[in-house]
Amino acid sequence: MIETATDLQIDMPGLKMKNPVMPASGCFAFGKEYGALYDLNELGAICIKAATREPRFGNPTPRVAETPGGMLNAIGLQNPGADKIISEELTRLSEYSTPIVANIAGSTTEDYVYTAERLSEISIVSALELNISCPNVKEGGIQFGTVPEVAASLTEKVKAVSKVPVYVKLSPNVTDIVAMAIAVEEAGADGLSMINTLLGMRIDLKTMKPILANKKGGLSGPAIKPIAIRMIYEVSQAVNIPIIGMGGIQSADDVIEFLLAGASAVAIGTANFVDPFICPKIIKELPEKLKAYGVTHISELVGRSWK
Ligand SMILES: Cc1cc2nc3c(=O)[nH]c(=O)nc-3n(C[C@H](O)[C@H](O)[C@H](O)COP(=O)(O)O)c2cc1C
C-alpha cells in the first residue's frame, strides 16, 4: 500500500521535497497567478523566474511562437530585478512552507555573484538555480553555458558567496553536455538542472521574416523530451550530484521516465501554459502510477534504466 505522504518524498541538497514536482523557472513567474488557482504548498518546491541584479525589460515582441509539439520563446529574462523580487515577490511567497528555488541570471560574473549573494541570504530561499544557459540574451548567458572552464569558474565564484546549495542549470546547446556537467560538479555545484531550451527559429511565410523579434528563441515542450531524457541518462552516469530534470514533461508517466533516466526530481515548464493545473494533477496521479509499476518509494526509480 502506498503511503503518499512519505513515498513521494525526495531529499536533495537544500531541498526536502514532499514530492518530486516543481514548476520550471520562467513558466510560473513568481507564483502569484497560479497561487490564485491552487494551494502552492501542494508543490514539491517553487522555482521562480530568473532574477537579475537590475530590472530587465526583456526582448521586443513577438517573444513566443508555436511549433509542433512545443513553443519557441525569446523573453530575454524580463524581471523586476533583485531588490523588488526580494521586497515584493519573496515576501509574498513567504506565506508558503514549500521550498523556494531562486533562479538567477546575469550578463557578467559580478552580476551573478551579486544576485546569488543577495537572494541566498533570504531565509525562504532553499537553493539557487544558476541559469548559465539562457539562449535569449545578447551578452553573457550563453557563453557561460557552453565553455566548461567558464561555467566552472562562475560556479566556483557563486558557491563562494551562496548561503544555500547551488544547482547549475545546463544548456542542451552544446556538443558535450557530460563535459559541462563534470566541470561544474568539480567546481562545487551541489546539483544540476537540465535541460534549458534548445536554440531554434521560425520564419513567417507572409512577411518572409523571422516570427520572433529576437529572430532566434528557445524551443521547449514535448518536442524536446527525448533530448532531455538522453542527456539526463548520459550525465547522471557521469556525476555524483542529483539532477532536477525538465524538458517537455506533461504527465505522471513523463515524470517517471525522467526519474528512470537519472533525475531525482523534475520541473514542469511549458505544460503549465496548456493546463495551469498540470503540476497538482501530476502530483495527485503519481501514487497510483507507482502502485501500477510496483514501486514502493519514488526514489527507487532514480537511474533505474541504467543501474
Ligand atoms: C516562456 C519561458 C520562459 C523561461 N524562462 C526561464 C528562466 O527565466 N530561467 C531559466 O532558467 N529557464 C527558463 N525557461 C526554461 C524552462 O525553465 C525549462 O528549462 C524549459 O522550458 C524546458 O522545460 P519545458 O519543456 O517543460 O518547458 C523558460 C522557458 C519558457 C518556455
Side-chain angles (χ1 to χ4, degrees):
M1 191 66 189
I2 304 280
E3 295 293 337
T4 57
T6 54
D7 292 353
L8 292 184
Q9 231 169 279
I10 292 285
D11 260 6
M12 299 193 298
L15 297 173
K16 270 194 186 315
M17 296 169 59
K18 58 179 96 66
N19 63 67
V21 177
M22 70 180 84
S25 180
C27 303
F28 206 73
F30 297 95
K32 192 173 177 184
E33 297 76 11
Y34 290 89
L37 299 178
Y38 61 86
D39 180 2
L40 303 187
N41 281 326
E42 290 176 35
L43 299 167
I46 297 170
C47 187
I48 61 170
K49 170 79 186 155
T52 53
R53 183 175 186 156
E54 304 296 337
R56 278 181 92 124
F57 188 71
N59 290 326
T61 57
R63 295 168 162 187
V64 293
E66 288 190 33
T67 64
M71 64 180 276
L72 284 173
N73 92 82
I75 306 297
L77 299 177
Q78 178 181 357
N79 78 98
D83 285 343
K84 229 176 181 171
I85 288 173
I86 291 170
S87 64
E88 292 179 13
E89 307 299 349
L90 291 175
T91 302
R92 185 177 40 74
L93 284 168
S94 64
E95 74 179 85
Y96 298 103
S97 57
T98 202
I100 306 289
V101 179
N103 184 284
I104 61 164
S107 300
T108 63
T109 302
E110 293 68 35
D111 282 353
Y112 273 106
V113 168
Y114 173 88
T115 312
E117 188 164 19
R118 289 286 316 275
L119 289 188
S120 71
E121 277 166 356
I122 308 303
S123 61
I124 63 158
V125 171
S126 300
L128 294 183
E129 184 174 66
L130 184 60
N131 177 8
I132 59 167
S133 50
C134 186
N136 303 321
V137 284
K138 292 224 155 42
E139 356 140 28
I142 200 152
Q143 291 91 330
F144 287 113
T146 51
V147 182
E149 296 74 24
V150 180
S153 163
L154 181 67
T155 303
E156 219 170 85
K157 291 190 174 100
V158 165
K159 271 295 288 176
V161 297
S162 178
K163 313 281 183 296
V164 294
V166 176
Y167 290 73
V168 179
K169 185 155 179 182
L170 299 181
S171 170
N173 301 307
V174 294
T175 313
D176 186 354
I177 196 158
V178 172
M180 293 297 298
I182 291 172
V184 299
E185 181 186 35
E186 285 174 354
D190 299 284
L192 301 170
S193 283
M194 55 191 286
I195 57 176
N196 208 320
T197 54
L198 284 125
L199 201 53
M201 191 170 164
R202 281 206 59 203
I203 294 169
D204 185 327
L205 299 192
K206 287 200 192 89
T207 62
M208 300 190 180
K209 299 287 178 210
I211 294 178
L212 297 174
N214 191 54
K215 299 188 179 68
K216 294 178 278 183
L219 178 64
S220 62
I224 71 169
K225 193 185 97 177
I227 300 169
I229 294 287
R230 186 266 295 174
M231 291 186 158
I232 292 166
Y233 179 84
E234 287 177 349
V235 166
S236 61
Q237 293 177 69
V239 299
N240 293 307
I241 48 177
I243 297 173
I244 302 169
M246 65 204 74
I249 296 177
Q250 319 186 82
S251 66
D253 277 339
D254 288 342
V255 172
I256 290 172
E257 194 174 343
F258 272 71
L259 298 183
L260 290 171
S264 294
V266 295
I268 298 175
T270 303
N272 288 286
F273 303 137
V274 181
D275 177 359
F277 294 97
I278 193 72
C279 291
K281 275 186 188 163
I282 286 178
I283 292 164
K284 205 164 159 220
E285 250 183 69
L286 276 172
E288 275 305 309
K289 288 287 177 187
L290 293 194
K291 207 170 173 180
Y293 296 121
V295 173
T296 316
H297 192 285
I298 195 141
S299 59
E300 287 168 35
L301 293 168
V302 177
R304 194 141 142 194
S305 65
W306 53 264
K307 278 181 184 161

